[in-house]
PDB file of all heavy atoms in Angstrom:
ATOM      1  N   ILE L  13     108.554  79.437 160.974  1.00  0.00           N
ATOM      2  CA  ILE L  13     107.735  79.889 162.101  1.00  0.00           C
ATOM      3  C   ILE L  13     108.599  80.133 163.339  1.00  0.00           C
ATOM      4  O   ILE L  13     108.330  81.037 164.129  1.00  0.00           O
ATOM      5  CB  ILE L  13     106.624  78.857 162.414  1.00  0.00           C
ATOM      6  CG1 ILE L  13     105.660  78.732 161.226  1.00  0.00           C
ATOM      7  CG2 ILE L  13     105.863  79.228 163.684  1.00  0.00           C
ATOM      8  CD1 ILE L  13     104.909  80.011 160.893  1.00  0.00           C
ATOM      9  N   LYS L  14     109.639  79.334 163.494  1.00  0.00           N
ATOM     10  CA  LYS L  14     110.549  79.490 164.634  1.00  0.00           C
ATOM     11  C   LYS L  14     111.649  80.512 164.361  1.00  0.00           C
ATOM     12  O   LYS L  14     112.109  81.201 165.271  1.00  0.00           O
ATOM     13  CB  LYS L  14     111.166  78.142 164.990  1.00  0.00           C
ATOM     14  CG  LYS L  14     110.155  77.105 165.463  1.00  0.00           C
ATOM     15  CD  LYS L  14     110.844  75.781 165.797  1.00  0.00           C
ATOM     16  CE  LYS L  14     109.827  74.753 166.292  1.00  0.00           C
ATOM     17  NZ  LYS L  14     110.468  73.443 166.596  1.00  0.00           N
ATOM     18  N   ILE L  15     112.072  80.609 163.111  1.00  0.00           N
ATOM     19  CA  ILE L  15     113.197  81.484 162.766  1.00  0.00           C
ATOM     20  C   ILE L  15     112.789  82.948 162.688  1.00  0.00           C
ATOM     21  O   ILE L  15     113.519  83.834 163.178  1.00  0.00           O
ATOM     22  CB  ILE L  15     113.828  81.031 161.430  1.00  0.00           C
ATOM     23  CG1 ILE L  15     114.503  79.666 161.614  1.00  0.00           C
ATOM     24  CG2 ILE L  15     114.834  82.063 160.923  1.00  0.00           C
ATOM     25  CD1 ILE L  15     114.964  79.024 160.326  1.00  0.00           C
ATOM     26  N   ILE L  16     111.629  83.240 162.105  1.00  0.00           N
ATOM     27  CA  ILE L  16     111.217  84.634 161.894  1.00  0.00           C
ATOM     28  C   ILE L  16     111.220  85.457 163.183  1.00  0.00           C
ATOM     29  O   ILE L  16     111.727  86.591 163.192  1.00  0.00           O
ATOM     30  CB  ILE L  16     109.849  84.699 161.189  1.00  0.00           C
ATOM     31  CG1 ILE L  16     109.975  84.187 159.747  1.00  0.00           C
ATOM     32  CG2 ILE L  16     109.290  86.120 161.178  1.00  0.00           C
ATOM     33  CD1 ILE L  16     108.654  83.942 159.049  1.00  0.00           C
ATOM     34  N   PRO L  17     110.680  84.951 164.298  1.00  0.00           N
ATOM     35  CA  PRO L  17     110.677  85.759 165.532  1.00  0.00           C
ATOM     36  C   PRO L  17     112.075  86.094 166.048  1.00  0.00           C
ATOM     37  O   PRO L  17     112.222  87.030 166.848  1.00  0.00           O
ATOM     38  CB  PRO L  17     109.921  84.871 166.532  1.00  0.00           C
ATOM     39  CG  PRO L  17     109.068  83.992 165.687  1.00  0.00           C
ATOM     40  CD  PRO L  17     109.898  83.705 164.478  1.00  0.00           C
ATOM     41  N   THR L  18     113.091  85.354 165.619  1.00  0.00           N
ATOM     42  CA  THR L  18     114.456  85.626 166.083  1.00  0.00           C
ATOM     43  C   THR L  18     115.120  86.740 165.277  1.00  0.00           C
ATOM     44  O   THR L  18     116.199  87.210 165.656  1.00  0.00           O
ATOM     45  CB  THR L  18     115.328  84.361 165.989  1.00  0.00           C
ATOM     46  OG1 THR L  18     115.589  84.043 164.611  1.00  0.00           O
ATOM     47  CG2 THR L  18     114.652  83.179 166.669  1.00  0.00           C
ATOM     48  N   LEU L  19     114.503  87.141 164.186  1.00  0.00           N
ATOM     49  CA  LEU L  19     115.075  88.177 163.321  1.00  0.00           C
ATOM     50  C   LEU L  19     114.470  89.528 163.693  1.00  0.00           C
ATOM     51  O   LEU L  19     113.370  89.867 163.285  1.00  0.00           O
ATOM     52  CB  LEU L  19     114.798  87.846 161.852  1.00  0.00           C
ATOM     53  CG  LEU L  19     115.304  86.476 161.372  1.00  0.00           C
ATOM     54  CD1 LEU L  19     114.860  86.216 159.935  1.00  0.00           C
ATOM     55  CD2 LEU L  19     116.813  86.367 161.502  1.00  0.00           C
ATOM     56  N   ASN L  20     115.187  90.285 164.455  1.00  0.00           N
ATOM     57  CA  ASN L  20     114.695  91.596 164.919  1.00  0.00           C
ATOM     58  C   ASN L  20     115.014  92.656 163.870  1.00  0.00           C
ATOM     59  O   ASN L  20     115.890  93.505 164.047  1.00  0.00           O
ATOM     60  CB  ASN L  20     115.331  91.936 166.264  1.00  0.00           C
ATOM     61  CG  ASN L  20     114.727  93.191 166.884  1.00  0.00           C
ATOM     62  OD1 ASN L  20     113.581  93.550 166.585  1.00  0.00           O
ATOM     63  ND2 ASN L  20     115.485  93.859 167.717  1.00  0.00           N
ATOM     64  N   ILE L  21     114.287  92.583 162.764  1.00  0.00           N
ATOM     65  CA  ILE L  21     114.567  93.422 161.598  1.00  0.00           C
ATOM     66  C   ILE L  21     113.269  94.008 161.075  1.00  0.00           C
ATOM     67  O   ILE L  21     112.235  93.346 161.057  1.00  0.00           O
ATOM     68  CB  ILE L  21     115.239  92.574 160.482  1.00  0.00           C
ATOM     69  CG1 ILE L  21     116.597  92.032 160.954  1.00  0.00           C
ATOM     70  CG2 ILE L  21     115.406  93.393 159.197  1.00  0.00           C
ATOM     71  CD1 ILE L  21     117.200  91.015 160.018  1.00  0.00           C
ATOM     72  N   GLU L  22     113.320  95.271 160.633  1.00  0.00           N
ATOM     73  CA  GLU L  22     112.189  95.872 159.941  1.00  0.00           C
ATOM     74  C   GLU L  22     112.391  95.634 158.449  1.00  0.00           C
ATOM     75  O   GLU L  22     113.392  96.068 157.867  1.00  0.00           O
ATOM     76  CB  GLU L  22     112.094  97.371 160.229  1.00  0.00           C
ATOM     77  CG  GLU L  22     110.873  98.027 159.575  1.00  0.00           C
ATOM     78  CD  GLU L  22     110.775  99.515 159.866  1.00  0.00           C
ATOM     79  OE1 GLU L  22     111.794 100.213 159.665  1.00  0.00           O
ATOM     80  OE2 GLU L  22     109.697  99.966 160.277  1.00  0.00           O
ATOM     81  N   TRP L  23     111.434  94.943 157.831  1.00  0.00           N
ATOM     82  CA  TRP L  23     111.580  94.544 156.439  1.00  0.00           C
ATOM     83  C   TRP L  23     111.046  95.608 155.483  1.00  0.00           C
ATOM     84  O   TRP L  23     110.033  96.243 155.743  1.00  0.00           O
ATOM     85  CB  TRP L  23     110.834  93.230 156.194  1.00  0.00           C
ATOM     86  CG  TRP L  23     111.220  92.132 157.133  1.00  0.00           C
ATOM     87  CD1 TRP L  23     110.467  91.602 158.139  1.00  0.00           C
ATOM     88  CD2 TRP L  23     112.473  91.443 157.181  1.00  0.00           C
ATOM     89  NE1 TRP L  23     111.161  90.626 158.804  1.00  0.00           N
ATOM     90  CE2 TRP L  23     112.403  90.505 158.238  1.00  0.00           C
ATOM     91  CE3 TRP L  23     113.651  91.524 156.420  1.00  0.00           C
ATOM     92  CZ2 TRP L  23     113.461  89.659 158.558  1.00  0.00           C
ATOM     93  CZ3 TRP L  23     114.698  90.679 156.738  1.00  0.00           C
ATOM     94  CH2 TRP L  23     114.600  89.763 157.785  1.00  0.00           C
ATOM     95  N   ASP L  24     111.730  95.753 154.367  1.00  0.00           N
ATOM     96  CA  ASP L  24     111.266  96.631 153.285  1.00  0.00           C
ATOM     97  C   ASP L  24     110.478  95.841 152.248  1.00  0.00           C
ATOM     98  O   ASP L  24     109.577  96.359 151.598  1.00  0.00           O
ATOM     99  CB  ASP L  24     112.458  97.297 152.585  1.00  0.00           C
ATOM    100  CG  ASP L  24     113.283  98.130 153.536  1.00  0.00           C
ATOM    101  OD1 ASP L  24     112.795  99.193 153.956  1.00  0.00           O
ATOM    102  OD2 ASP L  24     114.411  97.708 153.863  1.00  0.00           O
ATOM    103  N   LEU L  25     110.846  94.569 152.104  1.00  0.00           N
ATOM    104  CA  LEU L  25     110.249  93.722 151.080  1.00  0.00           C
ATOM    105  C   LEU L  25     110.243  92.284 151.582  1.00  0.00           C
ATOM    106  O   LEU L  25     111.246  91.806 152.128  1.00  0.00           O
ATOM    107  CB  LEU L  25     111.060  93.823 149.778  1.00  0.00           C
ATOM    108  CG  LEU L  25     110.621  92.988 148.573  1.00  0.00           C
ATOM    109  CD1 LEU L  25     109.221  93.383 148.120  1.00  0.00           C
ATOM    110  CD2 LEU L  25     111.624  93.154 147.421  1.00  0.00           C
ATOM    111  N   ILE L  26     109.104  91.611 151.407  1.00  0.00           N
ATOM    112  CA  ILE L  26     108.958  90.219 151.825  1.00  0.00           C
ATOM    113  C   ILE L  26     108.416  89.413 150.650  1.00  0.00           C
ATOM    114  O   ILE L  26     107.507  89.864 149.947  1.00  0.00           O
ATOM    115  CB  ILE L  26     107.988  90.089 153.025  1.00  0.00           C
ATOM    116  CG1 ILE L  26     108.531  90.848 154.248  1.00  0.00           C
ATOM    117  CG2 ILE L  26     107.748  88.618 153.379  1.00  0.00           C
ATOM    118  CD1 ILE L  26     107.517  90.986 155.378  1.00  0.00           C
ATOM    119  N   PHE L  27     108.981  88.215 150.450  1.00  0.00           N
ATOM    120  CA  PHE L  27     108.478  87.302 149.430  1.00  0.00           C
ATOM    121  C   PHE L  27     108.060  86.015 150.111  1.00  0.00           C
ATOM    122  O   PHE L  27     108.873  85.335 150.748  1.00  0.00           O
ATOM    123  CB  PHE L  27     109.543  87.018 148.371  1.00  0.00           C
ATOM    124  CG  PHE L  27     109.081  86.110 147.258  1.00  0.00           C
ATOM    125  CD1 PHE L  27     107.861  86.306 146.626  1.00  0.00           C
ATOM    126  CD2 PHE L  27     109.884  85.057 146.823  1.00  0.00           C
ATOM    127  CE1 PHE L  27     107.430  85.476 145.597  1.00  0.00           C
ATOM    128  CE2 PHE L  27     109.478  84.216 145.796  1.00  0.00           C
ATOM    129  CZ  PHE L  27     108.247  84.433 145.183  1.00  0.00           C
ATOM    130  N   LEU L  28     106.792  85.681 149.999  1.00  0.00           N
ATOM    131  CA  LEU L  28     106.221  84.499 150.630  1.00  0.00           C
ATOM    132  C   LEU L  28     105.986  83.418 149.579  1.00  0.00           C
ATOM    133  O   LEU L  28     105.157  83.573 148.695  1.00  0.00           O
ATOM    134  CB  LEU L  28     104.909  84.875 151.328  1.00  0.00           C
ATOM    135  CG  LEU L  28     104.065  83.757 151.944  1.00  0.00           C
ATOM    136  CD1 LEU L  28     104.882  82.920 152.912  1.00  0.00           C
ATOM    137  CD2 LEU L  28     102.843  84.362 152.640  1.00  0.00           C
ATOM    138  N   ASP L  29     106.727  82.313 149.703  1.00  0.00           N
ATOM    139  CA  ASP L  29     106.613  81.222 148.741  1.00  0.00           C
ATOM    140  C   ASP L  29     106.950  79.908 149.435  1.00  0.00           C
ATOM    141  O   ASP L  29     107.855  79.186 149.030  1.00  0.00           O
ATOM    142  CB  ASP L  29     107.551  81.455 147.548  1.00  0.00           C
ATOM    143  CG  ASP L  29     107.332  80.445 146.428  1.00  0.00           C
ATOM    144  OD1 ASP L  29     106.264  79.805 146.417  1.00  0.00           O
ATOM    145  OD2 ASP L  29     108.226  80.297 145.585  1.00  0.00           O
ATOM    146  N   ALA L  30     106.225  79.616 150.502  1.00  0.00           N
ATOM    147  CA  ALA L  30     106.470  78.413 151.292  1.00  0.00           C
ATOM    148  C   ALA L  30     105.225  77.536 151.286  1.00  0.00           C
ATOM    149  O   ALA L  30     104.403  77.630 150.385  1.00  0.00           O
ATOM    150  CB  ALA L  30     106.884  78.815 152.711  1.00  0.00           C
ATOM    151  N   ASP L  31     105.079  76.670 152.303  1.00  0.00           N
ATOM    152  CA  ASP L  31     103.917  75.780 152.370  1.00  0.00           C
ATOM    153  C   ASP L  31     102.636  76.597 152.446  1.00  0.00           C
ATOM    154  O   ASP L  31     102.517  77.519 153.249  1.00  0.00           O
ATOM    155  CB  ASP L  31     104.036  74.839 153.570  1.00  0.00           C
ATOM    156  CG  ASP L  31     104.222  75.578 154.878  1.00  0.00           C
ATOM    157  OD1 ASP L  31     105.280  76.206 155.063  1.00  0.00           O
ATOM    158  OD2 ASP L  31     103.302  75.542 155.715  1.00  0.00           O
ATOM    159  N   LYS L  32     101.686  76.243 151.604  1.00  0.00           N
ATOM    160  CA  LYS L  32     100.482  77.071 151.438  1.00  0.00           C
ATOM    161  C   LYS L  32      99.584  77.053 152.674  1.00  0.00           C
ATOM    162  O   LYS L  32      98.918  78.036 152.961  1.00  0.00           O
ATOM    163  CB  LYS L  32      99.691  76.624 150.202  1.00  0.00           C
ATOM    164  CG  LYS L  32     100.531  76.481 148.943  1.00  0.00           C
ATOM    165  CD  LYS L  32     101.471  77.666 148.709  1.00  0.00           C
ATOM    166  CE  LYS L  32     102.519  77.337 147.666  1.00  0.00           C
ATOM    167  NZ  LYS L  32     103.619  78.332 147.631  1.00  0.00           N
ATOM    168  N   THR L  33      99.586  75.945 153.396  1.00  0.00           N
ATOM    169  CA  THR L  33      98.748  75.865 154.593  1.00  0.00           C
ATOM    170  C   THR L  33      99.239  76.799 155.696  1.00  0.00           C
ATOM    171  O   THR L  33      98.498  77.083 156.630  1.00  0.00           O
ATOM    172  CB  THR L  33      98.696  74.426 155.132  1.00  0.00           C
ATOM    173  OG1 THR L  33     100.027  73.961 155.384  1.00  0.00           O
ATOM    174  CG2 THR L  33      98.006  73.492 154.142  1.00  0.00           C
ATOM    175  N   GLY L  34     100.448  77.302 155.557  1.00  0.00           N
ATOM    176  CA  GLY L  34     100.994  78.222 156.556  1.00  0.00           C
ATOM    177  C   GLY L  34     100.947  79.680 156.148  1.00  0.00           C
ATOM    178  O   GLY L  34     101.421  80.553 156.895  1.00  0.00           O
ATOM    179  N   TYR L  35     100.361  79.986 154.991  1.00  0.00           N
ATOM    180  CA  TYR L  35     100.412  81.347 154.470  1.00  0.00           C
ATOM    181  C   TYR L  35      99.861  82.395 155.439  1.00  0.00           C
ATOM    182  O   TYR L  35     100.471  83.448 155.649  1.00  0.00           O
ATOM    183  CB  TYR L  35      99.667  81.424 153.133  1.00  0.00           C
ATOM    184  CG  TYR L  35     100.558  81.341 151.915  1.00  0.00           C
ATOM    185  CD1 TYR L  35     101.725  80.582 151.934  1.00  0.00           C
ATOM    186  CD2 TYR L  35     100.241  81.994 150.730  1.00  0.00           C
ATOM    187  CE1 TYR L  35     102.546  80.491 150.819  1.00  0.00           C
ATOM    188  CE2 TYR L  35     101.052  81.909 149.607  1.00  0.00           C
ATOM    189  CZ  TYR L  35     102.197  81.169 149.656  1.00  0.00           C
ATOM    190  OH  TYR L  35     103.003  81.090 148.557  1.00  0.00           O
ATOM    191  N   ILE L  36      98.698  82.142 156.011  1.00  0.00           N
ATOM    192  CA  ILE L  36      98.110  83.148 156.906  1.00  0.00           C
ATOM    193  C   ILE L  36      98.999  83.353 158.124  1.00  0.00           C
ATOM    194  O   ILE L  36      99.217  84.494 158.565  1.00  0.00           O
ATOM    195  CB  ILE L  36      96.677  82.755 157.311  1.00  0.00           C
ATOM    196  CG1 ILE L  36      95.742  82.848 156.096  1.00  0.00           C
ATOM    197  CG2 ILE L  36      96.161  83.652 158.444  1.00  0.00           C
ATOM    198  CD1 ILE L  36      94.312  82.403 156.375  1.00  0.00           C
ATOM    199  N   GLU L  37      99.547  82.269 158.656  1.00  0.00           N
ATOM    200  CA  GLU L  37     100.421  82.393 159.826  1.00  0.00           C
ATOM    201  C   GLU L  37     101.690  83.153 159.485  1.00  0.00           C
ATOM    202  O   GLU L  37     102.129  84.031 160.241  1.00  0.00           O
ATOM    203  CB  GLU L  37     100.769  81.013 160.380  1.00  0.00           C
ATOM    204  CG  GLU L  37     101.511  81.064 161.707  1.00  0.00           C
ATOM    205  CD  GLU L  37     101.676  79.709 162.355  1.00  0.00           C
ATOM    206  OE1 GLU L  37     101.305  78.690 161.733  1.00  0.00           O
ATOM    207  OE2 GLU L  37     102.179  79.675 163.501  1.00  0.00           O
ATOM    208  N   TYR L  38     102.292  82.867 158.333  1.00  0.00           N
ATOM    209  CA  TYR L  38     103.485  83.614 157.907  1.00  0.00           C
ATOM    210  C   TYR L  38     103.148  85.094 157.719  1.00  0.00           C
ATOM    211  O   TYR L  38     103.927  85.976 158.108  1.00  0.00           O
ATOM    212  CB  TYR L  38     104.021  83.060 156.579  1.00  0.00           C
ATOM    213  CG  TYR L  38     104.569  81.657 156.652  1.00  0.00           C
ATOM    214  CD1 TYR L  38     104.168  80.693 155.724  1.00  0.00           C
ATOM    215  CD2 TYR L  38     105.483  81.287 157.624  1.00  0.00           C
ATOM    216  CE1 TYR L  38     104.671  79.405 155.773  1.00  0.00           C
ATOM    217  CE2 TYR L  38     105.985  79.999 157.681  1.00  0.00           C
ATOM    218  CZ  TYR L  38     105.574  79.062 156.755  1.00  0.00           C
ATOM    219  OH  TYR L  38     106.069  77.780 156.800  1.00  0.00           O
ATOM    220  N   TYR L  39     102.021  85.356 157.113  1.00  0.00           N
ATOM    221  CA  TYR L  39     101.581  86.732 156.856  1.00  0.00           C
ATOM    222  C   TYR L  39     101.425  87.505 158.162  1.00  0.00           C
ATOM    223  O   TYR L  39     101.942  88.624 158.304  1.00  0.00           O
ATOM    224  CB  TYR L  39     100.260  86.681 156.087  1.00  0.00           C
ATOM    225  CG  TYR L  39      99.602  88.005 155.802  1.00  0.00           C
ATOM    226  CD1 TYR L  39     100.021  88.808 154.743  1.00  0.00           C
ATOM    227  CD2 TYR L  39      98.528  88.449 156.577  1.00  0.00           C
ATOM    228  CE1 TYR L  39      99.395  90.017 154.464  1.00  0.00           C
ATOM    229  CE2 TYR L  39      97.897  89.645 156.307  1.00  0.00           C
ATOM    230  CZ  TYR L  39      98.334  90.429 155.256  1.00  0.00           C
ATOM    231  OH  TYR L  39      97.701  91.626 154.991  1.00  0.00           O
ATOM    232  N   GLU L  40     100.731  86.906 159.112  1.00  0.00           N
ATOM    233  CA  GLU L  40     100.495  87.591 160.387  1.00  0.00           C
ATOM    234  C   GLU L  40     101.769  87.723 161.207  1.00  0.00           C
ATOM    235  O   GLU L  40     101.916  88.664 161.990  1.00  0.00           O
ATOM    236  CB  GLU L  40      99.422  86.855 161.194  1.00  0.00           C
ATOM    237  CG  GLU L  40      98.019  86.990 160.618  1.00  0.00           C
ATOM    238  CD  GLU L  40      97.523  88.431 160.603  1.00  0.00           C
ATOM    239  OE1 GLU L  40      97.996  89.242 161.423  1.00  0.00           O
ATOM    240  OE2 GLU L  40      96.674  88.752 159.747  1.00  0.00           O
ATOM    241  N   LEU L  41     102.690  86.815 161.005  1.00  0.00           N
ATOM    242  CA  LEU L  41     103.962  86.861 161.723  1.00  0.00           C
ATOM    243  C   LEU L  41     104.888  87.936 161.172  1.00  0.00           C
ATOM    244  O   LEU L  41     105.670  88.546 161.920  1.00  0.00           O
ATOM    245  CB  LEU L  41     104.643  85.494 161.621  1.00  0.00           C
ATOM    246  CG  LEU L  41     105.791  85.157 162.571  1.00  0.00           C
ATOM    247  CD1 LEU L  41     105.351  85.269 164.028  1.00  0.00           C
ATOM    248  CD2 LEU L  41     106.304  83.757 162.271  1.00  0.00           C
ATOM    249  N   THR L  42     104.797  88.197 159.873  1.00  0.00           N
ATOM    250  CA  THR L  42     105.732  89.130 159.246  1.00  0.00           C
ATOM    251  C   THR L  42     105.175  90.533 159.023  1.00  0.00           C
ATOM    252  O   THR L  42     105.945  91.501 159.003  1.00  0.00           O
ATOM    253  CB  THR L  42     106.211  88.585 157.883  1.00  0.00           C
ATOM    254  OG1 THR L  42     105.077  88.348 157.037  1.00  0.00           O
ATOM    255  CG2 THR L  42     106.982  87.297 158.066  1.00  0.00           C
ATOM    256  N   LEU L  43     103.861  90.669 158.852  1.00  0.00           N
ATOM    257  CA  LEU L  43     103.309  91.988 158.535  1.00  0.00           C
ATOM    258  C   LEU L  43     103.652  93.052 159.587  1.00  0.00           C
ATOM    259  O   LEU L  43     103.973  94.193 159.217  1.00  0.00           O
ATOM    260  CB  LEU L  43     101.793  91.903 158.335  1.00  0.00           C
ATOM    261  CG  LEU L  43     101.167  93.181 157.745  1.00  0.00           C
ATOM    262  CD1 LEU L  43     101.627  93.400 156.309  1.00  0.00           C
ATOM    263  CD2 LEU L  43      99.639  93.110 157.800  1.00  0.00           C
ATOM    264  N   PRO L  44     103.616  92.738 160.889  1.00  0.00           N
ATOM    265  CA  PRO L  44     103.984  93.763 161.875  1.00  0.00           C
ATOM    266  C   PRO L  44     105.427  94.237 161.730  1.00  0.00           C
ATOM    267  O   PRO L  44     105.755  95.350 162.153  1.00  0.00           O
ATOM    268  CB  PRO L  44     103.776  93.047 163.218  1.00  0.00           C
ATOM    269  CG  PRO L  44     102.771  91.985 162.935  1.00  0.00           C
ATOM    270  CD  PRO L  44     103.098  91.524 161.552  1.00  0.00           C
ATOM    271  N   LYS L  45     106.284  93.407 161.121  1.00  0.00           N
ATOM    272  CA  LYS L  45     107.688  93.769 160.942  1.00  0.00           C
ATOM    273  C   LYS L  45     107.958  94.399 159.580  1.00  0.00           C
ATOM    274  O   LYS L  45     109.101  94.765 159.282  1.00  0.00           O
ATOM    275  CB  LYS L  45     108.578  92.542 161.131  1.00  0.00           C
ATOM    276  CG  LYS L  45     108.579  91.992 162.552  1.00  0.00           C
ATOM    277  CD  LYS L  45     109.571  90.849 162.696  1.00  0.00           C
ATOM    278  CE  LYS L  45     109.674  90.365 164.128  1.00  0.00           C
ATOM    279  NZ  LYS L  45     110.688  89.302 164.287  1.00  0.00           N
ATOM    280  N   LEU L  46     106.941  94.495 158.752  1.00  0.00           N
ATOM    281  CA  LEU L  46     107.070  95.154 157.455  1.00  0.00           C
ATOM    282  C   LEU L  46     106.868  96.642 157.652  1.00  0.00           C
ATOM    283  O   LEU L  46     105.906  97.071 158.279  1.00  0.00           O
ATOM    284  CB  LEU L  46     106.029  94.601 156.475  1.00  0.00           C
ATOM    285  CG  LEU L  46     106.032  95.175 155.059  1.00  0.00           C
ATOM    286  CD1 LEU L  46     107.324  94.842 154.335  1.00  0.00           C
ATOM    287  CD2 LEU L  46     104.826  94.648 154.269  1.00  0.00           C
ATOM    288  N   LYS L  47     107.776  97.440 157.134  1.00  0.00           N
ATOM    289  CA  LYS L  47     107.677  98.876 157.346  1.00  0.00           C
ATOM    290  C   LYS L  47     106.464  99.454 156.619  1.00  0.00           C
ATOM    291  O   LYS L  47     105.976  98.883 155.637  1.00  0.00           O
ATOM    292  CB  LYS L  47     108.950  99.592 156.894  1.00  0.00           C
ATOM    293  CG  LYS L  47     109.088  99.746 155.390  1.00  0.00           C
ATOM    294  CD  LYS L  47     110.291 100.626 155.056  1.00  0.00           C
ATOM    295  CE  LYS L  47     110.341 100.937 153.557  1.00  0.00           C
ATOM    296  NZ  LYS L  47     111.497 101.784 153.197  1.00  0.00           N
ATOM    297  N   LYS L  48     105.977 100.574 157.072  1.00  0.00           N
ATOM    298  CA  LYS L  48     104.871 101.257 156.415  1.00  0.00           C
ATOM    299  C   LYS L  48     105.289 101.620 154.995  1.00  0.00           C
ATOM    300  O   LYS L  48     106.358 102.184 154.770  1.00  0.00           O
ATOM    301  CB  LYS L  48     104.490 102.519 157.194  1.00  0.00           C
ATOM    302  CG  LYS L  48     103.294 103.254 156.626  1.00  0.00           C
ATOM    303  CD  LYS L  48     102.933 104.450 157.475  1.00  0.00           C
ATOM    304  CE  LYS L  48     101.720 105.182 156.908  1.00  0.00           C
ATOM    305  NZ  LYS L  48     101.361 106.364 157.731  1.00  0.00           N
ATOM    306  N   GLY L  49     104.464 101.270 154.036  1.00  0.00           N
ATOM    307  CA  GLY L  49     104.803 101.498 152.633  1.00  0.00           C
ATOM    308  C   GLY L  49     105.605 100.373 152.019  1.00  0.00           C
ATOM    309  O   GLY L  49     105.878 100.394 150.816  1.00  0.00           O
ATOM    310  N   GLY L  50     105.979  99.394 152.842  1.00  0.00           N
ATOM    311  CA  GLY L  50     106.732  98.251 152.336  1.00  0.00           C
ATOM    312  C   GLY L  50     105.834  97.276 151.589  1.00  0.00           C
ATOM    313  O   GLY L  50     104.599  97.349 151.664  1.00  0.00           O
ATOM    314  N   PHE L  51     106.470  96.349 150.866  1.00  0.00           N
ATOM    315  CA  PHE L  51     105.729  95.425 150.016  1.00  0.00           C
ATOM    316  C   PHE L  51     105.923  93.973 150.446  1.00  0.00           C
ATOM    317  O   PHE L  51     107.010  93.579 150.853  1.00  0.00           O
ATOM    318  CB  PHE L  51     106.160  95.563 148.558  1.00  0.00           C
ATOM    319  CG  PHE L  51     105.780  96.874 147.936  1.00  0.00           C
ATOM    320  CD1 PHE L  51     106.682  97.929 147.874  1.00  0.00           C
ATOM    321  CD2 PHE L  51     104.505  97.067 147.418  1.00  0.00           C
ATOM    322  CE1 PHE L  51     106.327  99.141 147.307  1.00  0.00           C
ATOM    323  CE2 PHE L  51     104.138  98.274 146.844  1.00  0.00           C
ATOM    324  CZ  PHE L  51     105.046  99.320 146.791  1.00  0.00           C
TER     325      PHE L  51
END
């Protein structure tokens, strides 16, 4: 949660496999940085 905002990168592919109670927060934190058409 603290590290992701420091990465100023547009992602092509994201794999989410961390603590389940944080899934929605991770998703909302990373989706804006996922490129259109990315997975």
Side-chain angles (χ1 to χ4, degrees):
I13 297 297
K14 296 180 179 179
I15 292 171
I16 292 168
T18 70
L19 303 175
N20 187 25
I21 297 170
E22 183 180 50
W23 306 109
D24 300 289
L25 179 62
I26 298 169
F27 182 47
L28 174 54
D29 188 18
D31 56 293
K32 310 314 166 193
T33 56
Y35 262 33
I36 291 177
E37 188 171 5
Y38 294 131
Y39 176 81
E40 289 297 335
L41 196 58
T42 57
L43 191 67
K45 294 185 175 183
L46 180 64
K47 76 173 187 180
K48 183 177 180 180
F51 292 96

